[in-house]
Amino acid sequence: MAHQNVWNSRKGPRADHDGKPISGKGTRECRCSGSQHGLIRKYGLNMTRRDFREKAESMGWTKYR
């Protein structure tokens, strides 16, 4: 298989019928601010680090250190 055949056979990101991606980092956003940077997804939080620090105490999280 030549280099050009291999290069052209690469699949791009998966998308739905509207052209929006189905999976990957671009599909996830913060539930508070809508930002995509610095997401905490653990425990289903889906919040940025900044928003989590602001709202953690009211959500019942305690800081031990």
Side-chain angles (χ1 to χ4, degrees):
M1 192 177 262
H3 169 74
Q4 198 64 23
N5 293 339
V6 173
W7 185 264
N8 291 334
S9 68
R10 181 187 173 277
K11 295 180 180 178
R14 293 181 49 206
D16 63 2
H17 298 293
D18 297 330
K20 297 178 183 174
I22 295 173
S23 60
K25 285 188 172 183
T27 60
R28 298 185 283 268
E29 60 185 20
C30 176
R31 64 174 66 200
C32 302
S33 62
S35 175
Q36 296 179 345
H37 303 288
L39 274 181
I40 301 173
R41 296 176 55 208
K42 195 169 184 176
Y43 309 119
L45 288 174
N46 296 322
M47 298 174 73
T48 57
R49 295 176 294 142
R50 178 178 167 183
D51 290 331
F52 179 73
R53 286 182 63 111
E54 292 174 3
K55 297 172 175 62
E57 193 171 332
S58 64
M59 292 169 46
W61 293 83
T62 55
K63 186 173 180 179
Y64 289 108
R65 284 190 174 187

